[in-house]
Amino acid sequence: MLLAALYCLLWNFQTSVGHFPRACASSKNLMEKECCPPWRGDWSPCGQLSGRGSCQDILLSNAPSGPQFPFTGVDDRESWPSVFYNRTCQCFGNFMGFNCGNCKFGFRGPNCTQRQFLVRRSIFDLSAPEKNKFLAYLTLAKHTTSPDYVIPIGTYGQMNNGSTPMFKDITIYDLFVWMHYYVSRDTLLGGSEIWKDVDFAHEAPGFLPWHRLFLLLWEQEIQKLTGDENFTIPYWDWRDAENCDICTDEYMGGHNPANPNLLSPASVFSSWQIVCSQLDEYNSRQALCNGTPEGPILRNPGNHDKARTPRLPSSGDVEFCLSLTQYESGSMDKAANFSFRNTLEEIYLKI
Ligand SMILES: *[C@@H]1O[C@H](CO)[C@@H](O)[C@H](O)[C@H]1NC(C)=O
Ligand SMILES: *[C@@H]1O[C@H](CO)[C@@H](O)[C@H](O)[C@H]1NC(C)=O
Ligand SMILES: *[C@@H]1O[C@H](CO)[C@@H](O)[C@H](O)[C@H]1NC(C)=O
Ligand SMILES: *[C@@H]1O[C@H](CO)[C@@H](O)[C@H](O)[C@H]1NC(C)=O
Ligand SMILES: *[C@@H]1O[C@H](CO)[C@@H](O)[C@H](O)[C@H]1NC(C)=O
């Protein structure tokens, strides 16, 4: 799917992550196109009584158009989020979030004024209890319904332009799987028509900022879920690894001896069900992923299918990528191999 994706139309990336606050999923919100929920601290919309933010019309820059998406008015993600909402909370100072109830990344405290530095650590530098805590957080997120967000299971048109809302609960972990699906899914044009050359998060300048925001939001949801305000996602340093060295039962799951595409039964992840994997099936129904479990995790880790992934990236690959000074080359030129973004994304696709 990532390889098939051609373009990202980066319109307003701050809000294009695809969050639907539970508090804004009613037909009233959709008909009025307003999403300005109360902040729990004072119950005023956007915490405005406490000076956290205010409810404002959204301002969008003009959407670029091009051969990658020769349409207007057919996809709910165009000029995000204006198909669903045209008034949202604009937060002041260090406040952030759909109701200005959160602090901007890097700040905390009752008024979001304390600077907070968090450090991401190599997964192999975690002690066994720290590593087990990380796996326990993932398991908890996989099984806990998101209190704050729901997913739409139909397009705006399928919701009769908002008069019949179609939203569903989803777990915190699966919410992020769903968001990644939603931003890169194909456009449903009705009948049996699909437009595949659209992607709002890959193979274009938005790749890095979109995924950075995505991971920060995921980290923040885990912090809120667990009360562990210092939680950070550990990283895997795959440079020069001969094999997928986190593909063991202590870490992200070893191979199932009976079927190398499945995880070992001893892994905590072997009981997980994936969501949002049946893209052609949704397309054939002109439907969206609705979060239904779709079977066990299938994996092609770096060392399994040598044809698909001959090797993990080397230190040399990383040095080369870091030596590139041009962030993006040309106007979304797929043949321009040697921009920083394009080279980095190729490394990402290898992993
Ligand atoms: C926002 O949407 C509502 C409902 O469709 C409409 O009445 C209003 O004029 C829109 N506001 C702006 C600023 O576009
Ligand atoms: C936070 O801001 C409010 C309103 O400005 C103020 O009354 C309160 O004392 C502040 N709290 C702290 C801990 O700074
Ligand atoms: C939804 O809005 C579109 C565009 O304004 C309009 O053409 C269509 O008839 C509306 N559909 C319903 C069910 O209201
Ligand atoms: C988070 O880290 C800070 C120091 O940076 C520490 O003061 C605080 O107690 C930690 N919080 C928790 C919940 O461990
Ligand atoms: C990109 O790579 C292809 C294949 O290696 C090569 O033919 C092409 O000239 C390269 N383009 C640029 C802009 O370097």
Side-chain angles (χ1 to χ4, degrees):
M1 174 196 76
L2 298 180
L3 286 165
L6 267 181
Y7 272 93
C8 159
L9 308 175
L10 181 67
W11 309 329
N12 205 15
F13 79 81
Q14 293 93 333
T15 52
S16 63
V17 173
H19 272 62
F20 286 82
R22 183 183 294 280
C24 300
S26 73
S27 61
K28 181 174 189 296
N29 290 103
L30 292 173
M31 300 305 284
E32 292 173 358
K33 288 197 158 203
E34 186 173 293
C35 180
C36 293
W39 171 56
R40 291 181 188 91
D42 65 12
W43 297 109
S44 70
C46 313
Q48 69 183 45
L49 288 178
S50 304
R52 295 176 84 98
S54 71
C55 189
Q56 291 178 24
D57 291 346
I58 58 166
L59 297 174
L60 294 169
S61 51
N62 288 333
S65 58
Q68 73 278 12
F69 191 69
F71 308 101
T72 48
V74 300
D75 190 313
D76 294 344
R77 298 166 300 175
E78 291 175 46
S79 302
W80 185 264
S82 65
V83 169
F84 292 93
Y85 308 108
N86 65 18
R87 280 172 71 76
T88 59
C89 289
Q90 304 290 306
C91 306
F92 306 139
N94 293 335
F95 300 112
M96 191 181 89
F98 62 84
N99 61 359
C100 304
N102 292 339
C103 296
K104 277 188 180 164
F105 304 114
F107 292 92
R108 64 175 55 153
N111 289 343
C112 300
T113 46
Q114 288 158 242
R115 200 80 176 87
Q116 177 63 39
F117 292 98
L118 296 175
V119 177
R120 298 212 176 100
R121 296 163 65 198
S122 165
I123 194 162
F124 292 124
D125 290 344
L126 302 184
S127 66
E130 286 170 332
K131 185 266 300 174
N132 290 337
K133 191 172 78 171
F134 171 57
L135 299 188
Y137 285 179
L138 294 180
T139 305
L140 185 62
K142 181 71 177 171
H143 293 109
T144 305
T145 298
S146 172
D148 292 332
Y149 298 102
V150 288
I151 57 165
I153 56 171
T155 63
Y156 189 70
Q158 288 165 352
M159 296 187 205
N160 295 315
N161 295 352
S163 57
T164 52
M166 297 163 68
F167 292 92
K168 200 178 153 202
D169 281 341
I170 191 152
T171 71
I172 291 169
Y173 188 95
D174 288 347
L175 171 68
F176 284 83
V177 178
W178 181 90
M179 286 182 345
H180 195 272
Y181 145 81
Y182 191 78
V183 76
S184 48
R185 70 177 174 82
D186 301 331
T187 294
L188 308 175
L189 292 171
S192 58
E193 298 288 303
I194 298 293
W195 184 260
K196 285 181 171 283
D197 288 352
V198 65
D199 190 308
F200 293 76
H202 301 95
E203 303 205 343
F207 174 73
L208 284 158
W210 192 89
H211 286 82
R212 171 169 290 208
L213 180 61
F214 180 73
L215 291 177
L216 282 165
L217 288 169
W218 188 68
E219 218 163 50
Q220 192 179 61
E221 287 298 312
I222 301 283
Q223 290 162 359
K224 284 197 283 185
L225 169 69
T226 60
D228 184 349
E229 57 181 358
N230 296 331
F231 168 77
T232 55
I233 309 170
Y235 64 86
W236 172 35
D237 183 355
W238 30 252
R239 284 174 303 173
D240 305 316
E242 293 284 325
N243 293 303
C244 175
D245 47 13
I246 54 169
C247 296
T248 64
D249 291 336
E250 293 74 43
Y251 291 93
M252 306 320 283
H255 293 295
N256 187 319
N259 180 347
N261 293 319
L262 294 176
L263 298 183
S264 147
S267 160
V268 295
F269 300 107
S270 64
S271 63
W272 282 37
Q273 291 271 311
I274 52 174
V275 297
C276 302
S277 66
Q278 310 287 319
L279 307 180
D280 291 337
E281 199 269 322
Y282 316 140
N283 283 350
S284 72
R285 291 188 289 115
Q286 294 276 319
L288 300 180
C289 166
N290 67 6
T292 302
E294 293 170 353
I297 294 175
L298 301 174
R299 184 183 283 161
N300 169 38
N303 60 344
H304 173 54
D305 184 345
K306 294 283 183 199
R308 223 173 112 187
T309 316
R311 62 175 176 84
L312 286 159
S314 67
S315 297
D317 293 332
V318 173
E319 294 303 319
F320 172 70
C321 186
L322 290 174
S323 77
L324 300 171
T325 52
Q326 197 175 2
Y327 179 81
E328 186 71 42
S329 46
S331 53
M332 302 194 179
D333 179 2
K334 209 167 133 60
N337 312 326
F338 294 130
S339 74
F340 174 73
R341 194 277 311 153
N342 200 10
T343 306
L344 184 78
E345 193 165 353
E346 191 191 317
I347 289 178
Y348 158 89
L349 289 175
K350 264 187 196 161
I351 310 161

